[in-house]
């Protein structure tokens, strides 16, 4: 039994299915391959992927090898799927990748060599993806390395390159020139591997139009309700809702100092509700003084955020101890909280992974 004063995290898989359908429409025929790294952005990779599979998704991306192994277990043998591991063939990973039927995303020349050696030694042809860095400067072969690899007769021996992909660094700003520059480099990269399928766009890129879609798009955050341009998008629904009850209602007078190190000094009479949640439950501390919760039909300023308690200003609004406050959800949007805290929606969601009591709606 959840205790009454517990913060509750509700994960709405029907909202997830809705967001998948929005992205599927936007993808206009390209495959939508959900990204469920970091335990599904903190929301639970297993339950998310099982529902996404039921809605038709057949390819998934994770970052780490162990995330791929866990996802393969959670999907089980009956849910046939391709699971791509973005880290690729890290040291010692090849046998484990192969055993769990994971597809590595090769990100360097040494990784390509290690994959080829493993495939030859185990007398198999191994399906792999290749990541080419087209200008984000984070992960992947440079265009020159990709050219060298494609030109080396045995460079990809015993490997089947089934997918060539890259990642956009500025897609949340559609007018940024870097997008067209990366697109041009990607078009050069895919020409080197004409047999492979092609993927460039994550959530934001999926909304940049037809030139960016190719054969597959790889959304994460927009499946979970974050807008493609780092602000709320009315087409998408909130997947995660965090609520917590009011523990106490307090009246502050001018000069009262609230919180650790007197974080806030009150400059006017203020009525506040003390809510039974804190940054342990995923309300980012940086939102203090800038972000809002939702209570009785209105946004209420987050006055302080500590480990276990939050104070929200409620003015003269009637309120009773035990009533629920929405800290994140359809009315306290993930993009707004992220902006208030000076971060991105991705980070707000992954921080939800700790204490709150979890419920899934619409599990399959
Ligand atoms: C995280 C990631 C994605 C998904 O990004 P979103 O912004 O959450 O849609 C797609 N591709 C790669 C390579 C990633 O690292």
């Amino acid at each position: 039994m959840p205790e009454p004063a517990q913060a509750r995290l509700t994960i709405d898989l029907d909202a997830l299915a809705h967001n998948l359908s929005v992205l599927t429409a936007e993808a206009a025929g390209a495959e939508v391959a959900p990204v469920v790294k970091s335990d599904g952005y903190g929301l639970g990779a297993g339950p998310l992927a099982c529902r996404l599979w039921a809605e038709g998704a057949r390819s998934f991306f994770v970052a780490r090898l162990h995330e791929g192994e866990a996802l393969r277990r959670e999907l089980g043998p009956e849910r046939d799927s391709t699971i791509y591991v973005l880290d690729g063939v890290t040291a010692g990973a090849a046998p484990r990748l192969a055993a769990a039927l994971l597809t590595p995303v090769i990100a360097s020349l040494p990784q390509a060599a290690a994959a080829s050696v493993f495939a030859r030694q185990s007398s198999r042809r191994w399906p792999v993806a290749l990541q080419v860095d087209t200008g984000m400067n984070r992960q992947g072969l440079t265009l020159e390395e990709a050219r060298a690899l494609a030109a080396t007769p045995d460079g990809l021996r015993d490997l089947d390159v089934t997918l060539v992909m890259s990642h956009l660094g500025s897609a949340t700003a559609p007018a940024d020139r870097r997008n067209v520059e990366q697109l041009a480099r990607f078009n050069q990269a895919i020409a080197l591997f004409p047999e492979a399928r092609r993927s460039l766009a994550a959530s934001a890129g999926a909304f940049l139009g037809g030139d960016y879609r190719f054969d597959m798009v790889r959304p994460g955050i927009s499946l979970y309700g974050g807008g493609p341009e780092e602000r709320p998008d009315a087409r998408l629904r909130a997947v995660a809702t965090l609520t917590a009850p009011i523990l106490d209602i307090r009246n502050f007078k001018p000069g009262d100092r609230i919180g650790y190190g007197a974080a806030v000094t009150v400059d006017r009479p203020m009525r506040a509700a003390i809510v039974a949640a804190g940054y342990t439950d995923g309300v980012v501390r940086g939102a203090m003084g800038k972000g809002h919760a939702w209570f009785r039909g209105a946004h209420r300023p987050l006055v302080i955020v500590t480990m276990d308690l939050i104070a929200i200003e409620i003015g003269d609004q009637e309120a009773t101890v035990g009533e629920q406050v929405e800290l994140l959800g359809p009315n306290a949007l993930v993009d707004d909280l992220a902006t208030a805290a000076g971060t991105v929606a991705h980070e707000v969601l992954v921080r939800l992974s700790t204490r709150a009591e979890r419920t899934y709606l619409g599990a399959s």
Side-chain angles (χ1 to χ4, degrees):
M1 272 291 284
E3 60 175 282
Q6 174 82 317
R8 285 185 220 148
L9 177 62
T10 307
I11 294 158
D12 183 350
L13 299 174
D14 295 331
L16 175 72
H18 166 84
N19 295 342
L20 177 66
S21 71
V22 171
L23 279 146
T24 302
E26 199 64 35
E31 181 181 4
V32 179
V35 178
V36 293
K37 62 193 178 188
S38 281
D39 195 25
Y41 291 40
L43 306 181
L48 297 187
C50 288
R51 179 62 191 264
L52 291 163
W53 193 92
E55 300 295 325
R58 290 295 179 272
S59 301
F60 299 91
F61 283 83
V62 295
R64 304 274 111 86
L65 167 62
H66 71 87
E67 294 176 344
E69 291 173 325
L71 183 61
R72 178 61 76 209
R73 275 194 302 278
E74 301 211 54
L75 285 169
E78 71 281 10
R79 293 191 188 85
D80 180 31
S81 54
T82 305
I83 301 175
Y84 295 94
V85 176
L86 290 166
D87 280 351
V89 187
T90 47
R96 285 172 60 181
L97 287 160
L101 304 175
L102 304 174
T103 305
V105 181
I106 296 207
S108 69
L109 290 177
Q111 283 198 2
S116 177
V117 166
F118 173 77
R120 187 157 68 248
Q121 283 171 353
S122 50
S123 312
R124 66 172 91 205
R125 286 197 70 76
W126 201 17
V128 298
L130 275 189
Q131 169 136 232
V132 180
D133 188 337
T134 52
M136 185 173 174
N137 293 315
R138 184 180 71 164
Q139 193 174 40
L141 299 154
T142 64
L143 198 49
E144 294 66 40
E145 288 171 333
R147 273 197 200 100
L149 187 61
T152 308
D154 269 350
L156 293 165
R157 188 168 154 196
D158 296 322
L159 303 178
D160 283 327
V161 178
T162 53
L163 178 75
V164 173
M165 57 170 277
S166 187
H167 196 42
L168 296 167
S170 299
T172 57
D176 195 312
R177 293 190 42 219
R178 194 180 180 201
N179 294 317
V180 283
E181 289 165 6
Q182 285 199 256
L183 178 62
R185 275 188 227 116
F186 188 62
N187 276 314
Q188 294 179 45
I190 58 180
L192 301 167
F193 305 96
E195 312 280 286
R197 298 175 72 215
R198 307 152 301 163
S199 176
L200 178 60
S203 296
F207 290 87
L208 287 182
D211 291 349
Y212 290 82
R213 282 184 213 124
F214 294 96
D215 301 307
M216 175 196 280
V217 297
R218 311 180 309 270
I221 194 64
S222 288
L223 285 172
Y224 314 127
E229 296 182 33
E230 297 183 334
R231 57 170 186 263
D233 186 313
R235 290 169 289 186
L236 302 168
R237 285 176 55 192
V239 171
T241 300
L242 181 70
T243 61
I246 295 176
L247 286 178
D248 195 9
I249 293 156
R250 315 201 36 157
N251 288 290
F252 301 117
K253 53 186 186 319
D256 279 354
R257 305 194 311 166
I258 315 177
Y260 290 109
V264 175
T265 303
V266 176
D267 60 1
R268 62 206 139 89
M270 182 193 285
R271 205 159 146 270
I274 309 295
V275 182
Y279 55 75
T280 308
D281 308 286
V283 179
V284 270
R285 191 169 167 278
M288 184 159 99
K290 291 180 269 205
H292 294 84
W294 178 261
F295 177 65
R296 289 224 192 180
H299 288 111
R300 314 285 177 177
L302 294 169
V303 181
I304 54 165
V305 177
T306 61
M307 189 183 286
D308 306 314
L309 296 171
I310 289 171
I312 61 167
E313 184 175 3
I314 56 172
D316 53 12
Q317 173 65 58
E318 206 184 296
T320 45
V321 167
E323 263 189 274
Q324 297 289 325
V325 172
E326 180 185 317
L327 297 159
L328 178 77
N331 303 294
L333 294 169
V334 64
D335 288 298
D336 289 333
L337 197 64
T339 302
T343 183
V344 289
H346 309 61
E347 187 181 7
V348 172
L349 292 186
V350 295
R351 299 219 175 276
L352 292 171
S353 53
T354 47
R355 184 171 59 185
E357 182 80 33
R358 236 170 229 241
T359 313
Y360 288 92
L361 303 179
S364 55

